[in-house]
Amino acid sequence: MDNDPFHAGEQQLQSLFAVREQLAGSRAIQASLPPGFAGFLAELHYVVLAVPDREGRIWVTMVFGRPGFLSAPDAMRVRVAARPDAADPVARGIVEGTPIAILAIDLSTRRRIRVNGSVGRVGQSDFVVDVQQAFGNCPQYIRPRDVKQAVGASGEPLLISADTSLARRVVAGADTFFVATRAASDAGGDMDVSHRGGPPGFVRWDGECLIWPEYRGNYYFNTLGNLLVDPACCLLFPDFGTGEMVVMTGHAVLDGFDGRLRRSHEGMPMNGLVRFKPDLLMSRTALARP
């Protein structure tokens, strides 16, 4: 990694919001796992993963395991001793050399780290991620809760359409979702997956599209910078009340980003809005009911 970890899309938004000079050459994003990351990984019993498929779509999923199923053999590798269900599109994308993103998050303690890289060795029940970027995020906007895996959660995902009651109900009540994006090809096509949170209703349907506010954050603009250069993305909405998850893959555009902070309808400072149109939607049960 050179002296600046940010690609052209991220840099453009940083310049727009007048933070480019202070972030240029930032060491917050490392090319290996910083001290302490391995210990945090070992505590977790779930992880969020994102990969592209052969058609260029992006997919995101949650994978569960006993604490210790995530480990770091060294600062350049993360081992995941679990695999998504075979029917999950992410499972088909775990192939050596494929770009992959990891969001290691503990919603109960509001801690999270992100690891972006490529799939290395792939075994029957595990795989290794070769680290290219690793960095932490603050706990801002994370809604604390315990998460457990549902028993017997495997099975063929159900394809649904955007106008089904399930998709609309899960989105309407959501205070948490995960968003996967991809950098442009000149940046290696690197994957990234991040968390978004807010009060229930902060994401809303507008016809066939979803709209959500991008609240003020650390100004790295990892997700938004990716969308600026490649609109492909995938959203995962977990319903912690019913145990269902809705996954949507499609394309997003930035709306109202002019360098000025505004207020969302909840009164929170935001950089602008994101408008997302899903192409394919899936649902499945993978979370335990309370």
Side-chain angles (χ1 to χ4, degrees):
M1 183 181 297
D2 59 24
N3 291 331
D4 196 327
F6 302 107
H7 64 68
E10 297 162 330
Q11 293 178 17
Q12 183 175 336
L13 287 171
Q14 291 167 5
S15 296
L16 184 65
F17 283 86
V19 296
R20 176 74 198 122
E21 184 175 346
Q22 69 190 63
L23 289 175
S26 170
R27 296 180 58 83
I29 299 178
Q30 295 290 306
S32 59
L33 297 176
F37 276 30
F40 176 62
L41 290 171
E43 297 174 7
L44 300 177
H45 67 276
Y46 58 91
V47 69
V48 183
L49 304 174
V51 297
D53 66 15
R54 294 180 180 178
E55 286 73 41
R57 292 182 293 258
I58 293 174
W59 294 98
V60 61
T61 195
M62 292 182 73
V63 174
F64 294 81
R66 295 182 181 276
F69 86 105
L70 294 173
S71 61
D74 54 57
M76 298 304 301
R77 293 180 298 164
V78 173
R79 177 175 177 261
V80 184
R83 298 284 297 273
D85 294 330
D88 193 315
V90 172
R92 298 191 288 273
I94 297 177
V95 178
E96 186 173 350
T98 300
I100 189 170
I102 296 174
L103 173 63
I105 186 168
D106 184 346
L107 292 173
S108 65
T109 62
R110 303 171 65 219
R111 292 182 296 166
R112 55 178 164 167
I113 62 174
R114 285 149 79 175
V115 179
N116 303 331
S118 60
V119 178
R121 180 190 59 79
V122 179
Q124 289 189 339
S125 60
D126 70 339
F127 63 95
V128 170
V129 174
D130 295 328
V131 177
Q132 295 171 0
Q133 290 186 333
F135 56 105
N137 280 151
C138 72
Q140 194 170 207
Y141 309 123
I142 296 179
R143 317 289 283 189
R145 56 167 48 83
D146 291 323
V147 178
K148 296 181 180 179
Q149 182 182 20
V151 176
S154 62
E156 188 75 25
L158 172 67
L159 286 173
I160 60 177
S161 60
D163 60 355
T164 61
S165 59
L166 171 61
R168 293 190 174 273
R169 173 178 56 76
V170 170
V171 170
D175 61 13
T176 297
F177 73 94
F178 304 107
V179 52
T181 57
R182 175 174 56 206
S185 57
D186 63 355
D190 297 333
M191 293 294 302
D192 182 71
V193 61
S194 187
H195 162 278
R196 291 296 184 270
F202 83 109
V203 186
R204 60 183 175 85
W205 286 99
D206 182 22
E208 295 182 347
C209 294
L210 284 177
I211 298 176
W212 73 84
E214 276 292 323
Y215 300 132
R216 180 179 60 195
N218 56 17
Y219 290 112
Y220 291 174
F221 294 121
N222 305 115
T223 297
L224 301 176
N226 283 355
L227 291 176
L228 197 63
V229 297
D230 186 339
C233 65
C234 184
L235 313 182
L236 186 158
F237 286 87
D239 186 329
F240 297 102
T242 65
E244 296 160 310
M245 294 197 301
V246 172
V247 178
M248 312 180 187
T249 186
H251 297 81
V253 295
L254 309 188
D255 185 2
F257 284 77
D258 59 7
R260 296 182 298 165
L261 285 176
R262 291 178 169 81
R263 293 282 174 179
S264 68
H265 68 271
E266 311 96 350
M268 301 172 67
M270 69 174 190
N271 301 314
L273 300 171
V274 177
R275 181 179 295 270
F276 169 81
K277 185 174 182 180
D279 299 324
L280 291 173
L281 296 89
M282 293 192 327
S283 72
R284 68 187 312 164
T285 301
L287 302 170
R289 293 180 177 144

